[in-house]
Amino acid sequence: MTSDVDDATTRPVVLVVQDEPILAMVMSDFVEEAGCQAVVATSTASAIQILEARADIHVVFADLDVRGSVMGLTLMAMIRDRWPPIELVMTGALRPDVARIPARGIFCDKPFRGDRVVEAVRKFAA
């Protein structure tokens, strides 16, 4: 039998970037439903700090509307450039220009379709 601690250390880690606490909880629930461990950043600056400090992040699931020093697709492009193996799942109130979505990135509309988000996180974390 595996303990919860062992389970948490073997599950893929997903960085959730969301500044609204309730949405961060919803997004974390989707990550957990996908079989992954969620780590939450409430700003783009804290997201970058977490990425710099941790080598176990498999996926970034980010709201493109998060407040911080780097916004939306700029943050996603920075992650793609600095941490190429990390997969990107993005969400936002407005769909970005498809040409601006970084390679291996997917955009999920708000309001969330939970099944689509869970499927994307699960696929990218595998």
Side-chain angles (χ1 to χ4, degrees), residues 14-121:
V14 176
L15 177 60
V16 174
V17 185
Q18 175 54 257
D19 58 347
E20 297 293 332
I22 292 174
L23 286 178
M25 287 177 19
V26 169
M27 291 168 72
S28 294
D29 286 347
F30 289 143
V31 168
E32 296 288 330
E33 187 178 333
C36 301
Q37 176 186 0
V39 174
V40 177
T42 57
S43 70
T44 57
S46 63
I48 291 167
Q49 288 175 337
I50 291 168
L51 288 166
E52 289 175 340
R54 297 185 65 153
D56 62 344
I57 305 292
H58 287 69
V59 178
V60 172
F61 178 23
D63 185 340
L64 297 181
D65 303 320
V66 170
R67 292 177 222 112
S69 60
V70 178
M71 299 301 288
L73 288 172
T74 304
L75 173 64
M76 298 296 102
M78 177 188 298
I79 292 169
R80 175 58 62 239
D81 289 343
R82 288 186 64 186
W83 298 280
I86 294 177
E87 305 294 351
L88 305 172
V89 178
M90 298 157 271
T91 188
L94 299 173
R95 178 176 284 281
D97 176 9
V98 175
R100 294 195 58 217
I101 295 175
R104 295 186 348 268
I106 186 170
F107 182 82
C108 297
D109 294 308
K110 281 185 182 174
F112 298 116
R113 275 197 42 214
D115 59 335
R116 184 158 189 252
V117 172
V118 169
E119 177 185 326
V121 169

